[in-house]
Amino acid sequence: MTSQAKQVPCNVVIFGGNGDLAIRKLLPALYHLEKDGYVCGSARIIGASRTDLGKEKYTQLVKEGLDQFIDRSDWDEAIWESFSKRLDYIAVDAKDPDSFQGLKDALGHEFEEQGTVYYLSTAPQFFGPTCENLAHVGLISDNTRVVLEKPIGKDLESSKVINDAVAKVFPEKDIYRIDHYLGKETVQNLLAVRFANALFEPVWSNTHIDNVQITVAETVGVGGRWGYYDDSGALRDMIQNHLLQLLCLVAMGVPVSLDPEAVRAEKIKVLKSLKTLSPEGVRRNVVRAQYTEGNMDGKQVPGYRSEDGGETDSTTETFVAVKAEVQNWRWRGVPFYLRTGKRLPARFSEIVIQFKDVPHSIFPAGTHLRSNKLVIRLQPEESIQLSMMNKIPGLSEGMPVMPVSLNLSMPDRFAEVRVPEAYERLILDVMRGNSTLFVHRDEVEAAWVWADAILNEWQASTAEPHYYPAGSWGPQAAFELTARDGRSWHEST
Ligand code: BG6
């Protein structure tokens, strides 16, 4: 056990426990929590799904998953020994109330004694029935919580149906809607950078900031997930949740504390201030595009429509660039350019705060003063860079200056600290009952109001998406989006 670890008495039941997310992310996260000493002696970890697997086969599946998805150096036979003793597997059909009895028996009286987290890592249409059937067999108490994975619906209406069904069983305080971006260390660090330093807040507004850019670029395509993805597209899959959450953390006002209610209240204000785009606004301010065949790192890769399971006439977007506006005093006139895409040349996520030019230059004519930029690199190679003008040392006449960068590299500065995966942090927070890093129902709904305006216009329109070859930085239209305003995307692209 690590010196600060405090054991949390809590069972975890994962619906969809043999699915991709559970094996790739959730169980490795729980293994790390075990290793770090957070899981208490009697806690159970139970996989549940329709497949008839049995405990032994499930344990084997989890072990194979850990082999593949945790670092070799993190493997510890003794930890596996205690971790595997907690594991169990129960076949449960979300829509069959009787099948929940097996789960009740497996949890036994421990269910009454310690908290239980139900992690719904399933398709959203099962959220309602699963909650209802948990209640049906008496598996809900003051000490139970439910975690909902995205997507919560396809639009405002369907998200309300899901949220209503879950709310029939769980009060809002026990519902944890996960957005794994909020569990990333560097995303949490945004709160620290903004609110634990006196430096930034006074300049954090339209008086000093010219524009904000948020980019989440991925190299992967949608191979293997075509069925899910084609129904979703980049706007629903990334922008409506991950990118809007990042926007909230950049744009929110100072919360009165780090309490969940305080932080979420500020985020909700931002989401409610987002300008809903008119059809004309969508045509002008949103770029939707799909990747075609191209070259990534010297290898030819198929276009979106030719991926496994693909269909030749799909117009689903794999890239979106959008100019969003937060209509309040602080941000009036500051565009927030959001951009995400698959099959781009590099994987990185970053937030760029572009400051305004100095009001007046005292330097010799012809001196190019570049305005300050704060670049927060969320992944990979997490860093915070502040670009500023600096005198070039030497005896040259006048005052030659050039842009330089103050650079805080997280891996260098915190080399001795293991950076936990987002899911470790988030699962531990649910076990502890802390919902600061989770998404309130009002946030989901406000985000859908904004996204629906775009989706509705796309649906009504007969226009094709733009196309970009895999391995490029997206369509020309994405560059024109910023160029039209006399701006450009941060130079890392
Ligand atoms: C998921 C999306 O929520 O986030 C995926 O469904 C995407 O399409 C993934 O690839 C990106 O997450 P990360 O943590 O790899 O940036």
Side-chain angles (χ1 to χ4, degrees):
M1 190 192 300
T2 59
S3 51
Q4 333 83 318
K6 186 163 178 299
Q7 291 192 341
V8 189
C10 195
N11 304 308
V12 179
V13 179
I14 307 174
F15 289 89
N18 56 344
D20 183 58
L21 180 73
I23 299 296
R24 224 160 26 91
K25 297 282 185 189
L26 308 182
L27 287 146
L30 283 160
Y31 169 88
H32 276 295
L33 293 178
E34 172 96 34
K35 192 157 188 261
D36 288 347
Y38 288 106
V39 186
C40 99
S42 56
R44 318 282 312 281
I45 297 171
I46 302 180
S49 90
R50 266 202 314 196
T51 319
D52 206 357
L53 262 186
K55 177 175 169 159
E56 226 167 276
K57 275 199 192 141
Y58 187 60
T59 308
Q60 186 54 30
L61 187 71
V62 174
K63 185 159 194 263
E64 285 164 16
L66 292 180
D67 269 351
Q68 211 180 332
F69 298 113
I70 66 166
D71 213 272
R72 271 305 338 136
S73 59
D74 287 325
W75 179 258
D76 182 324
E77 205 57 44
I79 297 296
W80 167 248
E81 191 60 21
S82 56
F83 186 69
S84 56
K85 282 204 185 107
R86 305 180 186 286
L87 289 175
D88 201 349
Y89 179 86
I90 305 292
V92 172
D93 178 346
K95 295 196 169 156
D96 173 11
D98 294 340
S99 68
F100 281 67
Q101 193 55 47
L103 181 59
K104 186 166 190 189
D105 298 341
L107 282 169
H109 45 259
E110 280 126 40
F111 158 73
E112 301 290 345
E113 285 156 20
Q114 57 190 13
T116 299
V117 167
Y118 301 112
Y119 197 120
L120 308 194
S121 173
T122 61
Q125 72 261 31
F126 298 118
F127 292 176
T130 303
C131 294
E132 205 177 299
N133 286 324
L134 285 170
H136 173 77
V137 293
L139 278 177
I140 309 291
S141 77
D142 284 350
N143 212 2
T144 51
R145 290 163 212 137
V146 66
V147 182
L148 308 182
E149 260 295 337
K150 74 168 240 288
I152 302 193
K154 288 193 67 169
D155 51 21
L156 177 63
E157 204 182 312
S158 54
S159 84
K160 280 187 170 169
V161 172
I162 294 168
N163 280 324
D164 284 345
V166 176
K168 279 194 191 143
V169 176
F170 288 94
E172 179 66 26
K173 72 168 182 49
D174 292 334
I175 303 174
Y176 288 68
R177 296 177 194 81
I178 222 164
D179 184 310
H180 79 277
Y181 265 62
L182 294 178
K184 291 182 190 274
E185 270 300 320
T186 38
V187 175
Q188 294 167 57
N189 193 34
L190 264 176
L191 292 175
V193 167
R194 284 199 56 200
F195 305 128
N197 295 292
L199 193 62
F200 295 114
E201 207 44 30
V203 294
W204 211 257
S205 73
N206 54 5
T207 316
H208 298 285
I209 292 178
D210 178 79
N211 71 88
V212 175
Q213 303 181 7
I214 303 178
T215 297
V216 176
E218 297 189 278
T219 50
V220 289
V222 294
R225 295 172 80 210
W226 211 88
Y228 153 76
Y229 196 88
D230 199 57
D231 248 9
S232 171
L235 191 86
R236 291 188 177 97
D237 187 51
M238 298 294 288
I239 302 257
Q240 187 270 349
N241 35 74
H242 305 323
L243 277 90
L244 284 189
Q245 284 293 324
L246 296 179
L247 180 150
C248 283
L249 295 180
V250 172
M252 69 196 252
V254 190
V256 292
S257 71
L258 278 182
D259 285 349
E261 296 70 33
V263 171
R264 300 197 303 190
E266 292 302 327
K267 282 160 63 194
I268 290 166
K269 279 192 221 161
V270 173
L271 290 165
K272 290 194 169 165
S273 311
L274 280 175
K275 178 177 175 181
T276 309
L277 293 172
S278 64
E280 167 55 23
V282 173
R283 290 193 287 277
R284 202 175 152 69
N285 296 307
V286 190
V287 176
R288 130 179 111 129
Q290 190 188 77
Y291 64 83
T292 54
E293 185 185 353
N295 195 292
M296 306 263 321
D297 279 337
K299 252 181 58 197
Q300 204 60 15
V301 295
Y304 173 71
R305 294 173 177 183
S306 316
E307 295 273 19
D308 247 7
E311 280 163 25
T312 49
D313 57 353
S314 168
T315 55
T316 297
E317 78 287 356
T318 57
F319 177 103
V320 175
V322 48
K323 176 177 161 184
E325 281 176 66
V326 179
Q327 291 185 305
N328 62 18
W329 279 30
R330 189 195 278 255
W331 294 114
R332 185 173 170 85
V334 179
F336 284 73
Y337 299 107
L338 314 180
R339 179 177 55 157
T340 186
K342 299 216 182 273
R343 285 289 191 224
L344 301 183
R347 173 179 182 258
F348 75 90
S349 302
E350 76 182 11
I351 297 173
V352 178
I353 313 291
Q354 172 73 64
F355 289 91
K356 291 188 170 168
D357 290 336
V358 291
H360 168 70
S361 172
I362 58 167
F363 294 86
T367 306
H368 176 57
L369 295 183
R370 224 189 274 164
S371 46
N372 301 123
K373 233 181 227 185
L374 182 68
V375 180
I376 303 170
R377 174 65 75 121
L378 306 173
Q379 60 185 26
E381 291 127 28
E382 301 82 352
S383 65
I384 299 182
Q385 294 177 359
L386 179 63
S387 85
M388 49 190 280
M389 298 305 293
N390 198 70
K391 178 178 178 300
I392 302 170
L395 300 175
S396 338
E397 220 179 322
M399 174 81 80
V401 290
M402 64 177 285
V404 292
S405 183
L406 293 181
N407 192 356
L408 166 62
S409 154
M410 302 299 169
D412 291 352
R413 176 60 189 79
F414 298 103
E416 70 292 355
V417 183
R418 183 182 75 85
V419 176
E421 280 274 330
Y423 279 100
E424 290 173 47
R425 170 71 199 213
L426 295 173
I427 292 175
L428 183 58
D429 277 0
V430 189
M431 287 161 57
R432 287 169 167 158
N434 180 348
S435 57
T436 302
L437 297 176
F438 292 81
V439 182
H440 191 277
R441 174 176 184 156
D442 294 349
E443 289 178 72
V444 176
E445 295 187 359
W448 275 127
V449 169
W450 179 83
D452 275 0
I454 300 173
L455 292 164
N456 291 342
E457 167 53 20
W458 286 351
Q459 205 179 5
S461 142
T462 50
E464 290 257 316
H466 294 273
Y467 295 98
Y468 62 102
S472 72
W473 283 112
Q476 190 52 29
F479 294 93
E480 284 158 14
L481 181 74
T482 49
R484 246 192 347 247
D485 296 342
R487 300 182 172 105
S488 60
W489 294 101
H490 177 51
E491 61 260 24
S492 57
T493 57

